[in-house]
Amino acid sequence: MRKHFLGDTAVLLGRSMTHVTRSVDTIITTAIMPVAMMLLFVYVFGGAISTGSPSYVTYLLPGILLITVASGISYTAFRLFTDMKSGVFERFHSMPIARSSVLWAHVLTSLVANLISLVVVVGVALIMGFRSSAGILAWLAVAGIMILFTLALTWLAVIPGLTAKSVEGAGVFAYPLMFLPFLSSAFVPTGTMPGPLRAFAENQPVTSIVNAIRALFTESPLGNDIWIALGWCVGILIVTYAFATAAYRRKIA
Amino acid sequence: MTTVIRVQGMEKSYKDLRVLRGVDFEVAKGSIFALLGSNGAGKTTVVKILSTLLKADAGTATVNGFDVAAQPENVRESISLTGQFAAVDEILTGRENLVLVAKLRHLKDPGTIADTLLGRFSLADAGARKVSTYSGGMRRRLDIAMSLIGSPPVIFLDEPTTGLDPQARIEVWDAVRELAGQGTTVLLTTQYLDEAEHLADRIAILHEGRILVHGTLAELKQLLPPATVEYVEKQPSLEDVFLSLVGTNH
């Protein structure tokens, strides 16, 4: 059924994108939490935080973008879980279609929905005074990192989406991911953190991804951060993809 | 009479639980075959194996001449499954559900196919509404309509009337009879004895993972001692009362 893979994926992508557009609230709730956090940090805490950067919102935005994706992928898990439970998955799998397109349609939907939320968040940041002199290439590089990051977390979300026993279980894995940016350079420079925490913060994936995006926005030298960030994204992507497809194969036995 | 479904020695266990312990039966082309059994008897497992959603541990099964383990894609071309819970997309409209399935079956003109089926299953007025607003009977009708797209020669209906009210049940029965009349082979599972009695050409009773008996209704009745004739005043059943009050023409 390889010959139908692209066509079937397109049809199923159309279906789940309809789900996204019919429940606009999912896009808004996905964007509203990071936007609220951005407002809180810029207008409440921002004045007291010294980052060495002239504009705190510009310093903060990369971390907020990662939080947006982390909160968005819980809907990916939720949509997948609903299809598993309602029997829609079984219906598709008993039809003469390319079976893998059922999963790929969910992954692509997650990517598109998250990119829409990211655009909304960047829009709000611009209103709040975010400015970047970055050229088109730097923006494309930021988009590329965000796409890789979204794909990596999407495949992570596929695992609970396929295996969770309850709706709550399908979404709960996203909370620690949203918390991870706090223990990184996303909100404050890592220099003031106590030793062990600082060691963790400087070596966890969020810091290198945030630093790379920040450097791209401010046109500072990229250093090694971009390669470490790409390494993390690709590494996480490979591991989560392997586990997710293994879980999928077990499910469709 | 050609055999469309043939199951021989089918076994399936979930860890230590032996759900199927050697199931054998055959279904003739164009007939309605009822797999009757209580909850947990293994009916759904049989249907899932025949529709290539599960793999059997032992035994062979062919559907429309294709082996379910070796030629699953050919089997999927030949069948349609209506699962135990109406597998319809709640967020889409009824018409969009039908169009979706027609597109996935790679048919031409999905819109016309959808409109024809909406009319045939008395859903034309509800076609543009989201399925989440449908009643249980409407969902089931839509579910069955989705299964008919592409006219597969074999249809599996897993407990098609569980949870439906009496009128919706009769509507489903009519749809199933119409299908078999057109030459479609129907395998349905049910826990309702009267459903098997009303609908099926042949009945198999599945109990603790084995087929206990297998035959036409008349054959099954012969298994018991001949009926003694008693004269009893005919009392209307509650179903007769209900249906005459709410005005169904059956």
Coordinates of all heavy atoms in Angstrom, one line a residue, chain B residues 183-238:
Chain B
G183 N -26.2 -9.6 -1.7 CA -25.1 -10.5 -1.9 C -23.9 -10.3 -1.0 O -22.9 -11.0 -1.1
T184 N -24.0 -9.3 -0.1 CA -22.9 -9.1 0.9 C -22.9 -10.2 2.0 O -24.0 -10.5 2.4 CB -23.0 -7.7 1.5 OG1 -23.1 -6.7 0.5 CG2 -21.8 -7.4 2.4
T185 N -21.8 -10.7 2.3 CA -21.7 -11.6 3.4 C -21.6 -10.9 4.7 O -20.7 -10.0 4.8 CB -20.5 -12.6 3.2 OG1 -20.6 -13.1 1.9 CG2 -20.5 -13.7 4.3
V186 N -22.4 -11.2 5.7 CA -22.4 -10.4 7.0 C -22.1 -11.4 8.1 O -22.7 -12.4 8.3 CB -23.7 -9.7 7.2 CG1 -23.7 -9.0 8.6 CG2 -24.1 -8.8 6.1
L187 N -21.0 -11.0 8.9 CA -20.7 -11.8 10.1 C -21.0 -10.8 11.2 O -20.4 -9.7 11.3 CB -19.3 -12.3 10.2 CG -18.9 -13.2 11.3 CD1 -17.8 -14.1 11.0 CD2 -18.6 -12.4 12.6
L188 N -22.0 -11.1 12.1 CA -22.3 -10.2 13.2 C -22.1 -11.0 14.5 O -22.3 -12.2 14.6 CB -23.6 -9.6 13.0 CG -24.9 -10.4 13.1 CD1 -25.4 -10.4 14.6 CD2 -26.0 -9.8 12.2
T189 N -21.7 -10.2 15.5 CA -21.6 -10.9 16.8 C -22.7 -10.2 17.6 O -23.1 -9.1 17.4 CB -20.3 -10.6 17.5 OG1 -20.3 -9.2 18.0 CG2 -19.1 -10.8 16.6
T190 N -23.3 -11.0 18.6 CA -24.3 -10.4 19.4 C -24.4 -11.2 20.7 O -24.0 -12.4 20.8 CB -25.7 -10.4 18.7 OG1 -26.7 -9.8 19.5 CG2 -26.1 -11.8 18.3
Q191 N -24.9 -10.5 21.7 CA -25.2 -11.2 22.9 C -26.7 -11.4 23.1 O -27.2 -11.9 24.1 CB -24.6 -10.5 24.1 CG -24.9 -9.0 24.2 CD -24.3 -8.4 25.4 OE1 -24.3 -8.9 26.4 NE2 -23.8 -7.2 25.2
Y192 N -27.5 -10.9 22.1 CA -29.0 -10.9 22.2 C -29.5 -12.1 21.4 O -29.3 -12.2 20.2 CB -29.6 -9.7 21.6 CG -29.1 -8.4 22.4 CD1 -28.5 -7.4 21.7 CD2 -29.4 -8.3 23.7 CE1 -28.1 -6.2 22.3 CE2 -29.0 -7.1 24.4 CZ -28.3 -6.1 23.7 OH -27.9 -5.0 24.4
L193 N -30.1 -13.0 22.1 CA -30.6 -14.2 21.5 C -31.6 -13.9 20.4 O -31.6 -14.5 19.3 CB -31.2 -15.2 22.5 CG -30.3 -15.4 23.7 CD1 -31.1 -16.2 24.7 CD2 -29.1 -16.1 23.3
D194 N -32.5 -13.0 20.6 CA -33.5 -12.6 19.7 C -33.0 -12.0 18.4 O -33.5 -12.2 17.3 CB -34.6 -11.7 20.3 CG -34.0 -10.4 20.7 OD1 -32.9 -10.4 21.1 OD2 -34.8 -9.4 20.7
E195 N -31.8 -11.3 18.6 CA -31.2 -10.7 17.4 C -30.7 -11.8 16.4 O -30.9 -11.8 15.2 CB -30.0 -9.8 17.8 CG -29.4 -9.1 16.7 CD -28.6 -7.9 17.2 OE1 -29.2 -6.9 17.6 OE2 -27.4 -7.9 17.2
A196 N -30.0 -12.8 17.0 CA -29.5 -13.9 16.2 C -30.7 -14.6 15.6 O -30.7 -15.0 14.4 CB -28.7 -14.9 17.1
E197 N -31.8 -14.8 16.3 CA -33.0 -15.5 15.9 C -33.6 -14.8 14.7 O -34.0 -15.4 13.7 CB -33.9 -15.7 17.0 CG -35.0 -16.7 16.8 CD -35.7 -17.1 18.1 OE1 -35.2 -16.8 19.2 OE2 -36.8 -17.7 18.0
H198 N -33.8 -13.5 14.8 CA -34.5 -12.7 13.8 C -33.6 -12.6 12.5 O -34.2 -12.5 11.4 CB -34.7 -11.3 14.3 CG -36.0 -11.1 15.0 ND1 -36.0 -10.9 16.4 CD2 -37.2 -11.2 14.6 CE1 -37.3 -10.9 16.8 NE2 -38.0 -11.0 15.7
L199 N -32.3 -12.5 12.7 CA -31.5 -11.9 11.6 C -30.7 -13.0 10.9 O -30.6 -12.9 9.6 CB -30.6 -10.9 12.2 CG -30.1 -9.7 11.4 CD1 -31.4 -9.0 10.8 CD2 -29.4 -8.7 12.3
A200 N -30.3 -14.0 11.6 CA -29.2 -14.8 11.0 C -29.7 -16.0 10.3 O -30.7 -16.6 10.6 CB -28.3 -15.3 12.2
D201 N -29.0 -16.4 9.2 CA -29.2 -17.6 8.5 C -28.6 -18.8 9.2 O -29.2 -19.8 9.3 CB -28.6 -17.6 7.1 CG -29.1 -16.4 6.3 OD1 -30.4 -16.3 6.2 OD2 -28.3 -15.6 5.7
R202 N -27.5 -18.5 9.8 CA -26.8 -19.6 10.6 C -26.3 -18.9 11.9 O -25.9 -17.7 11.9 CB -25.7 -20.2 9.8 CG -26.1 -21.1 8.6 CD -24.9 -21.7 8.0 NE -24.5 -22.9 8.7 CZ -25.0 -24.1 8.6 NH1 -26.1 -24.3 7.8 NH2 -24.5 -25.1 9.2
I203 N -26.2 -19.7 12.9 CA -25.9 -19.2 14.2 C -24.8 -20.1 14.8 O -24.9 -21.4 14.7 CB -27.1 -19.2 15.2 CG1 -28.2 -18.3 14.6 CG2 -26.7 -18.8 16.6 CD1 -29.5 -18.5 15.2
A204 N -23.8 -19.5 15.4 CA -22.8 -20.3 16.1 C -22.7 -19.8 17.5 O -22.7 -18.6 17.7 CB -21.4 -20.2 15.5
I205 N -22.7 -20.7 18.5 CA -22.7 -20.3 19.9 C -21.3 -20.4 20.4 O -20.7 -21.5 20.4 CB -23.7 -21.0 20.7 CG1 -25.1 -20.8 20.2 CG2 -23.5 -20.6 22.2 CD1 -26.2 -21.5 21.0
L206 N -20.7 -19.3 20.7 CA -19.3 -19.3 21.2 C -19.3 -19.2 22.7 O -19.9 -18.3 23.3 CB -18.5 -18.0 20.6 CG -17.1 -17.9 20.9 CD1 -16.2 -19.0 20.3 CD2 -16.6 -16.5 20.4
H207 N -18.6 -20.2 23.3 CA -18.7 -20.2 24.8 C -17.3 -20.7 25.3 O -16.8 -21.8 24.8 CB -19.8 -21.2 25.3 CG -19.9 -21.2 26.8 ND1 -20.4 -20.0 27.5 CD2 -19.7 -22.1 27.7 CE1 -20.4 -20.3 28.7 NE2 -20.0 -21.6 28.9
E208 N -16.7 -20.0 26.2 CA -15.4 -20.3 26.7 C -14.4 -20.7 25.6 O -13.6 -21.6 25.7 CB -15.5 -21.4 27.8 CG -16.3 -20.9 29.0 CD -16.4 -22.0 30.1 OE1 -16.3 -23.1 29.8 OE2 -16.7 -21.6 31.2
G209 N -14.4 -19.9 24.6 CA -13.3 -20.0 23.6 C -13.6 -21.1 22.6 O -12.7 -21.4 21.8
R210 N -14.7 -21.8 22.6 CA -15.0 -22.8 21.6 C -16.4 -22.6 21.0 O -17.3 -22.0 21.7 CB -14.9 -24.2 22.2 CG -13.5 -24.7 22.5 CD -13.5 -26.1 22.7 NE -12.1 -26.6 23.1 CZ -11.7 -26.5 24.3 NH1 -12.4 -26.1 25.3 NH2 -10.4 -26.9 24.6
I211 N -16.6 -23.1 19.8 CA -17.9 -23.1 19.2 C -18.7 -24.3 19.8 O -18.3 -25.4 19.5 CB -17.9 -23.2 17.7 CG1 -17.1 -22.0 17.1 CG2 -19.3 -23.2 17.1 CD1 -17.8 -20.7 17.0
L212 N -19.7 -24.1 20.5 CA -20.5 -25.2 21.1 C -21.4 -25.9 20.1 O -21.3 -27.1 19.9 CB -21.4 -24.7 22.3 CG -20.7 -24.3 23.6 CD1 -21.8 -23.9 24.6 CD2 -19.8 -25.4 24.1
V213 N -22.2 -25.1 19.4 CA -23.0 -25.6 18.3 C -23.0 -24.6 17.2 O -22.6 -23.4 17.3 CB -24.5 -25.8 18.8 CG1 -24.6 -27.0 19.7 CG2 -25.0 -24.5 19.4
H214 N -23.5 -25.0 16.0 CA -23.3 -24.3 14.8 C -24.3 -24.8 13.8 O -24.4 -26.0 13.5 CB -21.8 -24.6 14.3 CG -21.5 -24.0 13.0 ND1 -20.4 -24.5 12.2 CD2 -22.0 -23.0 12.3 CE1 -20.4 -23.8 11.1 NE2 -21.3 -22.9 11.1
G215 N -25.2 -24.0 13.4 CA -26.2 -24.5 12.4 C -27.3 -23.4 12.2 O -27.2 -22.3 12.7
T216 N -28.4 -23.8 11.4 CA -29.5 -22.9 11.3 C -30.3 -22.9 12.6 O -30.1 -23.8 13.4 CB -30.4 -23.4 10.1 OG1 -30.9 -24.7 10.4 CG2 -29.6 -23.5 8.8
L217 N -31.2 -22.0 12.7 CA -32.1 -21.9 13.9 C -32.8 -23.2 14.0 O -32.9 -23.8 15.1 CB -33.0 -20.7 13.7 CG -33.9 -20.5 14.9 CD1 -33.1 -20.1 16.1 CD2 -34.9 -19.3 14.6
A218 N -33.4 -23.7 12.9 CA -34.1 -25.0 13.0 C -33.2 -26.1 13.5 O -33.7 -26.9 14.3 CB -34.7 -25.3 11.6
E219 N -32.0 -26.2 13.0 CA -31.1 -27.2 13.4 C -30.8 -27.1 14.9 O -30.7 -28.1 15.6 CB -29.8 -27.2 12.6 CG -29.9 -27.7 11.2 CD -28.7 -27.3 10.3 OE1 -27.8 -26.7 10.8 OE2 -28.8 -27.6 9.1
L220 N -30.6 -25.9 15.4 CA -30.3 -25.7 16.8 C -31.5 -26.1 17.7 O -31.3 -26.7 18.7 CB -29.9 -24.2 17.1 CG -28.7 -23.7 16.4 CD1 -28.3 -22.3 17.0 CD2 -27.5 -24.6 16.6
K221 N -32.7 -25.8 17.1 CA -33.9 -26.2 17.9 C -34.0 -27.7 18.1 O -34.6 -28.2 19.1 CB -35.1 -25.6 17.3 CG -35.3 -24.1 17.6 CD -36.5 -23.5 17.0 CE -36.7 -22.1 17.5 NZ -37.7 -21.3 16.7
Q222 N -33.6 -28.4 17.1 CA -33.7 -29.9 17.1 C -32.8 -30.5 18.2 O -32.9 -31.7 18.5 CB -33.3 -30.5 15.7 CG -34.5 -30.4 14.8 CD -34.1 -30.8 13.4 OE1 -33.0 -31.2 13.1 NE2 -35.0 -30.5 12.4
L223 N -31.8 -29.7 18.6 CA -30.9 -30.2 19.6 C -31.6 -30.5 21.0 O -31.2 -31.3 21.8 CB -29.7 -29.2 19.9 CG -28.8 -29.1 18.7 CD1 -27.8 -27.9 19.0 CD2 -28.0 -30.3 18.4
L224 N -32.7 -29.8 21.2 CA -33.5 -29.9 22.4 C -34.6 -30.9 22.2 O -35.0 -31.1 21.0 CB -34.0 -28.6 22.9 CG -32.9 -27.6 23.3 CD1 -33.6 -26.3 23.7 CD2 -32.1 -28.2 24.4
P225 N -35.2 -31.5 23.2 CA -36.3 -32.4 23.0 C -37.5 -31.7 22.3 O -37.6 -30.5 22.4 CB -36.7 -32.8 24.4 CG -35.7 -32.2 25.4 CD -34.8 -31.4 24.6
P226 N -38.3 -32.4 21.5 CA -39.3 -31.8 20.7 C -40.3 -31.0 21.7 O -40.5 -31.4 22.8 CB -40.1 -32.9 20.0 CG -39.5 -34.2 20.6 CD -38.2 -33.9 21.3
A227 N -40.8 -29.9 21.2 CA -41.6 -29.0 22.0 C -42.9 -29.7 22.3 O -43.5 -30.4 21.4 CB -41.9 -27.7 21.2
T228 N -43.4 -29.6 23.5 CA -44.8 -30.1 23.8 C -45.7 -28.9 23.5 O -45.4 -27.7 23.7 CB -44.9 -30.5 25.3 OG1 -44.3 -29.4 26.0 CG2 -44.1 -31.8 25.5
V229 N -46.9 -29.3 23.1 CA -47.9 -28.2 22.7 C -48.7 -27.9 23.9 O -49.3 -28.7 24.5 CB -48.7 -28.7 21.5 CG1 -49.8 -27.6 21.2 CG2 -47.9 -29.1 20.3
E230 N -48.7 -26.6 24.3 CA -49.5 -26.1 25.3 C -50.3 -24.9 24.8 O -49.8 -24.3 23.9 CB -48.7 -25.6 26.5 CG -48.2 -26.8 27.4 CD -47.3 -26.2 28.5 OE1 -47.6 -25.2 29.1 OE2 -46.2 -26.8 28.8
Y231 N -51.5 -24.7 25.3 CA -52.3 -23.5 24.9 C -52.1 -22.4 25.9 O -52.5 -22.6 27.1 CB -53.7 -23.9 24.6 CG -53.8 -24.8 23.4 CD1 -53.9 -26.2 23.6 CD2 -53.8 -24.3 22.1 CE1 -53.9 -27.0 22.5 CE2 -53.8 -25.1 21.0 CZ -53.9 -26.5 21.2 OH -53.9 -27.3 20.1
V232 N -51.6 -21.3 25.5 CA -51.4 -20.2 26.4 C -52.0 -19.0 25.7 O -51.9 -18.8 24.5 CB -49.9 -20.0 26.6 CG1 -49.7 -18.9 27.7 CG2 -49.2 -21.3 27.0
E233 N -52.7 -18.2 26.5 CA -53.2 -16.9 26.0 C -52.0 -16.0 25.5 O -51.1 -15.9 26.2 CB -54.0 -16.2 27.1 CG -54.8 -15.1 26.7 CD -55.4 -14.3 27.9 OE1 -55.2 -14.8 29.0 OE2 -56.0 -13.3 27.7
K234 N -52.2 -15.5 24.3 CA -51.0 -14.7 23.8 C -51.0 -13.3 24.5 O -51.9 -12.5 24.3 CB -51.1 -14.5 22.3 CG -50.0 -13.5 21.8 CD -49.5 -13.8 20.4 CE -48.4 -13.0 20.0 NZ -47.9 -11.9 20.7
Q235 N -50.0 -13.1 25.2 CA -49.8 -11.8 25.9 C -48.9 -10.9 25.0 O -47.9 -11.5 24.5 CB -49.1 -12.0 27.2 CG -49.9 -12.7 28.2 CD -51.0 -11.9 28.9 OE1 -51.0 -10.7 28.8 NE2 -51.9 -12.5 29.6
P236 N -49.2 -9.7 24.8 CA -48.2 -8.9 24.1 C -47.0 -8.7 24.9 O -47.0 -8.6 26.1 CB -49.0 -7.5 23.9 CG -50.0 -7.5 25.0 CD -50.4 -8.9 25.3
S237 N -45.8 -8.7 24.2 CA -44.6 -8.5 24.9 C -44.4 -7.0 25.2 O -45.1 -6.2 24.5 CB -43.4 -9.0 24.1 OG -43.2 -8.1 23.0
L238 N -43.6 -6.6 26.1 CA -43.4 -5.2 26.4 C -42.9 -4.5 25.1 O -43.3 -3.3 24.8 CB -42.3 -5.1 27.5 CG -42.1 -3.6 27.9 CD1 -43.3 -2.9 28.4 CD2 -41.0 -3.6 29.0

